[in-house]
Amino acid sequence: MGAHRKGGPPPARATTPGAGSVSAPGSISAAGSVSAPGTDSTPGAAAGGRDRYFDALRALALIRVVAYHAFGWPWAGLVFPSMGIMFGLAGTLMATSLDSRPALAVVRGRLRRLLPPLWCWGLFVVGAMLVRGWMPGWQIVFWIVPLGDPPGSAWGEQAWEILWYLRTYLWFVLLSPLLLRVFRRAPVPVLLLSLAPVVVLSHVWQPPDDRFGTGLLDLATYLFCWILGFAHRDGVLARLTAAPVVALSLAALAYGAWYACAHRGEYGTYDLDDIPLAQAFWSAGFVTPLMYAKARFGLRLPWLARRRRLDRLVTVLNARAVTVYLWHEVALVLAVVLIDRFWEVPAFEAYLPLDSQWFLLAVGWALVAVAVVLFGWVEDVAARRRPRLLP
């Protein structure tokens, strides 16, 4: 497996016969959501149903993460900041749960839903690294509960570096009872001031280059989006007038884009995943209108139910979001290895677009589907549901 920095460059192309490298320059930012791990239900859904607006956002975020890691597009975060969206949705869900159950029960439930899929995936990733000669120290405990970045070998970095998202999500879950209390004392000021920590860490105090510093910076980067989820849940967004919301959102987008472009030479890219301050402001400006539109207009996407295949895809991606997120990088690496073997088959070499990144993405998604069938049921067990091959 190749080195992979947070932000997500693609795996190496399998463009020549016998190309054996699967290293990738680059990294991930997911998601992400990926859908937020360990969620119970979707806020705003009708009794007994799902909120398809949020489900669709979550599914799009996950699709964009996988595509980003296949292609390494530096502009992907500008088009659709997946992780900001996922943390915003997760914040809403967390506030909903804290209003209906004791904080300890909510945190315990989130841990129960998050950790078993991680352990299942970790058995394979850690096992592969051990076979290749890697030997961990005491930090192996972070593979059990990822309060810090789990250790790993350089060979397996592309697989395990995506765990920054689960680590950040876990810390937000643990901090949410306190954050929600603080937010409810002064909702709008706290929401606006939630961008202050990332500004401080970018311009005033440089966090240490270790697990603590990295975790602190990620929390600061997505704190606004998480608190924005609280604001949606509590009806704060619905009470705001459109003009200031639009104006502040555009200002945040402008500043985030300007900062990314102005510091391109410093970071070597304008990829938001590598520039925390730009990521924080762009995500804030992008996610706020999405949540505000939901709060003010009650968007529900009823047309989705009339498109059965698309609706089914959204359902599966939401129900198996943790599995897709954890396994997608492994799938892309294996796709490179598999395509390398395809070059040895004359018919495949002649008729398949083996040098295309789109073909790599297609093979990667096929392998993700295999992982969902083989391991997705762990999410059902973790949620105390009857195990199913597909939801």
Side-chain angles (χ1 to χ4, degrees):
M1 297 183 187
H4 201 50
R5 78 179 185 282
K6 179 178 142 192
R13 295 176 182 237
T15 55
T16 56
S21 171
V22 293
S23 65
S27 85
I28 177 170
S29 160
S33 217
V34 163
S35 100
T39 55
D40 305 317
S41 59
T42 303
R50 298 277 307 184
D51 188 318
R52 301 310 269 170
Y53 177 75
F54 283 160
D55 283 351
L57 286 179
R58 197 177 288 119
L60 281 174
L62 194 54
I63 291 170
R64 198 235 71 180
V65 167
V66 178
Y68 173 64
H69 293 139
F71 292 93
W73 294 319
W75 44 264
L78 293 168
V79 174
F80 199 74
S82 292
M83 303 317 296
I85 290 170
M86 290 315 309
F87 281 117
L89 298 179
T92 297
L93 291 164
M94 191 65 189
T96 301
S97 296
L98 288 172
D99 282 341
S100 60
R101 290 185 290 155
L104 184 59
V106 173
V107 171
R108 186 168 57 243
R110 291 297 193 273
L111 288 172
R112 189 189 70 241
R113 288 170 175 244
L114 172 66
L115 296 180
L118 170 64
W119 294 337
C120 174
W121 175 82
L123 285 175
F124 291 88
V125 175
V126 173
M129 291 189 294
L130 290 173
V131 168
R132 292 186 62 89
W134 174 68
M135 185 56 62
W138 67 267
Q139 296 91 346
I140 191 69
V141 297
F142 292 125
W143 278 98
I144 301 174
V145 181
L147 293 174
D149 289 326
S153 67
W155 173 82
E157 185 175 1
Q158 187 169 323
W160 57 257
E161 195 166 7
I162 63 171
L163 294 179
W164 75 270
Y165 169 69
L166 300 189
R167 178 253 297 152
T168 305
Y169 171 82
L170 178 57
W171 273 109
F172 273 132
V173 166
L174 296 175
L175 294 171
S176 279
L178 175 61
L179 289 175
L180 189 56
R181 287 188 180 184
V182 172
F183 168 75
R184 286 174 173 170
R185 289 182 179 272
V188 175
V190 169
L191 177 62
L192 295 176
L193 287 173
S194 62
L195 285 169
V198 72
V199 175
V200 171
L201 294 180
S202 299
H203 293 301
V204 179
W205 178 67
Q206 184 70 30
D209 187 18
D210 56 16
R211 280 184 174 83
F212 172 77
T214 301
L216 192 63
L217 188 58
D218 287 335
L219 284 170
T221 300
Y222 295 102
L223 178 62
F224 178 92
C225 293
W226 192 270
I227 299 294
L228 184 67
F230 293 171
H232 173 269
R233 160 62 186 174
D234 282 11
V236 174
L237 292 181
R239 295 192 294 270
L240 298 176
T241 56
V245 172
V246 172
L248 290 174
S249 296
L250 290 175
L253 287 170
Y255 181 73
W258 169 82
Y259 192 89
C261 294
H263 294 78
R264 183 175 181 178
E266 176 184 348
Y267 290 95
T269 181
Y270 60 88
D271 191 329
L272 298 181
D273 290 330
D274 295 324
I275 312 174
L277 186 63
Q279 175 75 275
F281 276 85
W282 183 267
S283 293
F286 197 101
V287 180
T288 297
L290 293 177
M291 302 290 278
Y292 181 74
K294 173 63 179 176
R296 285 299 296 267
F297 307 115
L299 303 178
R300 296 188 54 81
L301 304 187
W303 55 266
L304 190 59
R306 297 192 294 271
R307 292 162 174 79
R308 297 182 60 182
R309 292 183 180 179
L310 183 59
D311 187 67
R312 176 68 167 159
L313 176 63
V314 170
T315 298
V316 173
L317 287 174
N318 275 268
R320 294 292 183 259
V322 180
T323 301
V324 172
Y325 182 74
L326 287 172
W327 286 95
H328 81 273
E329 281 283 31
V330 175
L332 289 174
V333 170
L334 293 177
V336 173
V337 176
L338 188 60
I339 292 173
D340 285 344
R341 302 287 78 80
F342 285 176
W343 283 105
E344 300 171 3
V345 180
F348 289 171
E349 183 179 3
Y351 297 107
L352 293 179
L354 302 182
D355 59 350
S356 169
Q357 290 295 97
W358 289 100
F359 185 69
L360 170 66
L361 178 64
V363 175
W365 271 113
L367 294 175
V368 167
V370 172
V372 165
V373 172
L374 292 178
F375 307 111
W377 58 269
V378 177
E379 292 194 58
D380 291 330
V381 173
R384 296 178 178 175
R385 297 190 297 260
R386 180 174 58 85
R388 293 173 294 177
L389 290 181
L390 283 177

